[in-house]
Amino acid sequence: MKALLVEDDEAIALVVETVLQREGWTVRHVADGASALEEETPDLLVTDLNLPGAQNGLEIAHLLRERRPQMAVVLMSGDYEESDMAPQGMAVLPKPFRRAGLLAAIAQALGQVRD
């Protein structure tokens, strides 16, 4: 299974990439939305909501889902409030997070596209 990680913070990217690889994912990491749109559409998108460049993580998710509607999506954000509504069919992972939180968000995202 292929995952695309879109994160401009190298420290966070390293943590997420390591966790995904240990769970058996093949991971491609890019730092911005423009680069993400040039990639092959993955099975799983893990993206920061706030990205450098013209598009944010939610816009990237919608554009990639046009190519692959069954793509699972995890949106990471340091600005997320529990009262905020998660976009339909996507999991939101508030930063900072622990490994268990990341894995739970991935499981939620995968479950939403299978339903």
Side-chain angles (χ1 to χ4, degrees):
M1 300 256 293
K2 294 181 182 176
L4 177 60
L5 170 61
V6 188
E7 173 61 67
D8 60 321
D9 183 317
E10 287 296 324
I12 293 171
L14 181 61
V15 169
V16 174
E17 190 170 1
T18 300
V19 170
L20 287 170
Q21 288 173 340
R22 287 184 179 162
E23 294 296 314
W25 292 89
T26 300
V27 182
R28 178 81 175 117
H29 169 234
V30 297
D32 60 66
S35 299
L37 295 175
E38 294 173 5
E39 294 291 322
E40 179 183 335
T41 308
D43 301 298
L44 170 67
L45 173 67
V46 180
T47 182
D48 191 0
L49 270 173
N50 300 310
L51 294 168
Q55 290 113 351
N56 66 34
L58 185 58
E59 291 168 332
I60 297 303
H62 286 303
L63 290 168
L64 290 176
R65 272 221 173 135
E66 287 177 10
R67 297 186 213 162
R68 186 176 197 152
Q70 292 302 309
M71 179 185 69
V73 177
V74 175
L75 302 169
M76 302 181 292
S77 176
D79 300 329
Y80 182 76
E81 297 292 331
E82 290 297 327
S83 60
D84 290 346
M85 291 292 293
Q88 187 168 356
M90 299 181 193
V92 176
L93 178 62
K95 292 179 184 176
F97 55 84
R98 295 189 173 277
R99 179 181 182 276
L102 173 59
L103 293 176
I106 292 168
Q108 178 187 353
L110 290 170
Q112 288 176 343
V113 295
R114 290 186 183 133
D115 292 343

